[in-house]
Amino acid sequence: MDLGLYAKIIDEAADFAVDINLIGRGEVFLHPDIAWMVRYAHERGLNVRTESNATVLTPEKSEAVIRAGLDFISFSMDGYAKNVYESIRRGADFDATIGNIRAFLAAKKRLRARNPYTSIQFIQTVPFKKGATAGDARRFKRIFRGLPLNTYRYVTPHRYVGEIEESITGSRYGYMKRSRLGKGLVGLNYTPCPYPWFSMHILWDGTVSPCCMDFYARYVVGNVRGSSLREIWSGTPLRALREALATGRYREIPLCERCDLLYQTKIGGVSTKNIRDFKIFLMENMFG
C-alpha cells in the first residue's frame, strides 16, 4: 500500500475507529515500511494489531515494530512438529520460523516491553489434527519457556466464504457439526454476520470490502482514494448489505451465500462464537 494512501486512511479512521488490523492477503513483514505504518497509527491513538507467519521476520524488524508501539501480534503456526508444519506450509522452514519467533520474544524481553500482546495461533485443520500429538505439543511449548509469550490460540476452521475445501476444514460447515439424529444441524440458527456493522476491509489499492475474507474483492462497497471512510461506511452499498443480512436475505449476496459463519449456536440470542471472540478481545486488550 502507498504510504500516502495509508496515512489518509489512518487520519480518517482515528476520528471514530478503535483499532487497525494490518493484515489481509499478504505477509505483513514484506512491507518495507511496516514499522513506520505501526508508529503512524499508534501515534494517532489507534490500537495496532497484526498477524504474521514469521517466515521473513528478522531481529531488526522485530525490534522496530516493538519500539513503534505495536499492541498485538499473532504468529500463525500450522503444526507442532517440523514434518507436519512443513507439509502444510510449503516452502517454509520450521526451525527458521521458530527461531524468528524466539528472536522477536527475546527482543520484547530485552526492551522490557509490555506490548505487543503476543500469541501463537494454530488453525485446527484436518492435517493439523492428524499430525498433532500430546508429546509434540509439550515439546513445542518448552521452546518458549522464559520468553514473554502471552498465550496460545486454537482456531476452529471455517470455510472462508466457501473458498476452503471441506477436506481441509473437516466439515462442510467448517467449525459446525452435523446432526447425527435426522437431518439438519443441531442447535444452529441463522445469525446475521456482524462484520459489516463494525469493520471494513481495505485492500492495498484502496478498494473497500465489508468482509476480511473477501480475498478477491468480489463485493466492493467503495474506494478510499475517491471517498472518505465515513462516506463509504454510511453509503448505499454497505447499508443495503446490512439490511439484507439483518432480514435473512443472504442468498441474494453471492459472497455470503456459501459462508458457514452465518449459521451458529446461540445463547440468549447471541452467537456463542461472538461471545468467545469478545472474551478473547477483553483478554488481549484489557488484561494483556
Side-chain angles (χ1 to χ4, degrees):
M1 178 179 283
D2 173 77
L3 295 183
L5 177 62
Y6 176 78
K8 176 184 184 295
I9 293 168
I10 296 302
D11 290 344
E12 294 177 6
D15 289 337
F16 61 92
V18 175
D19 59 18
I20 183 83
N21 296 315
L22 300 178
I23 56 175
R25 289 165 54 188
E27 164 54 39
V28 65
F29 285 104
L30 287 173
H31 199 296
D33 298 298
I34 184 59
W36 181 89
M37 296 169 82
V38 170
R39 186 179 302 279
Y40 193 86
H42 178 77
E43 290 179 348
R44 278 150 185 77
L46 289 167
N47 187 42
V48 188
R49 306 162 61 89
T50 194
E51 297 182 17
S52 170
N53 60 41
T55 56
V56 296
L57 187 58
T58 65
E60 293 76 20
K61 292 176 181 178
S62 296
E63 181 167 340
V65 295
I66 293 169
R67 289 186 180 278
L70 184 65
D71 294 285
F72 171 90
I73 189 167
S74 176
F75 292 115
S76 301
M77 293 294 295
D78 303 297
Y80 292 125
K82 183 178 178 68
N83 63 321
V84 176
Y85 171 85
E86 292 181 0
S87 71
I88 296 171
R89 191 168 289 277
R90 304 296 177 86
D93 182 283
F94 179 81
D95 298 316
T97 301
I98 292 296
N100 293 344
I101 297 173
R102 281 182 53 85
F104 181 94
L105 293 169
K108 180 182 172 183
K109 185 175 183 177
R110 175 170 49 80
L111 295 170
R112 298 182 179 179
R114 180 174 179 267
N115 288 329
Y117 186 96
T118 308
S119 73
I120 292 179
Q121 174 180 285
F122 300 92
I123 298 180
Q124 296 177 298
T125 60
V126 171
F128 171 78
K129 286 183 175 180
K130 286 183 176 179
T133 69
D136 286 338
R138 287 192 297 269
R139 284 187 287 273
F140 183 92
K141 292 180 179 181
R142 279 200 295 267
I143 295 171
F144 299 98
R145 284 182 182 172
L147 293 171
L149 177 67
N150 295 94
T151 190
Y152 292 95
R153 303 174 75 191
Y154 295 88
V155 179
T156 306
H158 54 83
R159 297 202 55 220
Y160 286 86
V161 295
E163 296 289 349
I164 307 300
E165 296 299 322
E166 182 177 343
S167 61
I168 300 298
T169 63
S171 168
R172 176 185 173 190
Y173 298 95
Y175 66 91
M176 307 173 202
K177 295 181 179 178
R178 293 176 188 265
S179 167
R180 292 187 178 182
L181 301 174
K183 298 180 179 180
L185 301 171
V186 172
L188 296 178
N189 301 281
Y190 173 72
T191 305
C193 176
Y195 290 154
W197 279 271
F198 74 81
S199 68
M200 288 192 293
H201 181 55
I202 306 174
L203 280 70
W204 70 275
D205 62 352
T207 299
V208 178
S209 169
C211 179
C212 62
M213 292 176 279
D214 185 12
F215 299 139
Y216 303 103
R218 292 173 177 169
Y219 196 102
V220 175
V221 295
N223 191 297
V224 294
R225 288 188 183 276
S227 304
S228 71
L229 291 182
R230 285 188 180 274
E231 288 171 337
I232 296 170
W233 183 254
S234 301
T236 299
L238 198 46
R239 288 165 59 194
L241 173 64
R242 294 184 188 121
E243 182 180 0
L245 291 172
T247 56
R249 295 183 288 109
Y250 69 95
R251 294 192 186 280
E252 298 176 6
I253 308 163
L255 178 68
C256 303
E257 65 175 345
R258 294 194 301 154
C259 184
D260 55 349
L261 290 175
L262 292 176
Y263 276 87
Q264 302 179 20
T265 54
K266 296 181 181 180
I267 296 176
V270 180
S271 157
T272 53
K273 179 181 183 298
N274 290 344
I275 292 173
R276 183 196 66 191
D277 290 348
F278 183 65
K279 287 181 179 178
I280 292 173
F281 174 82
L282 288 178
M283 291 295 293
E284 293 170 353
N285 293 279
M286 296 179 67
F287 308 111

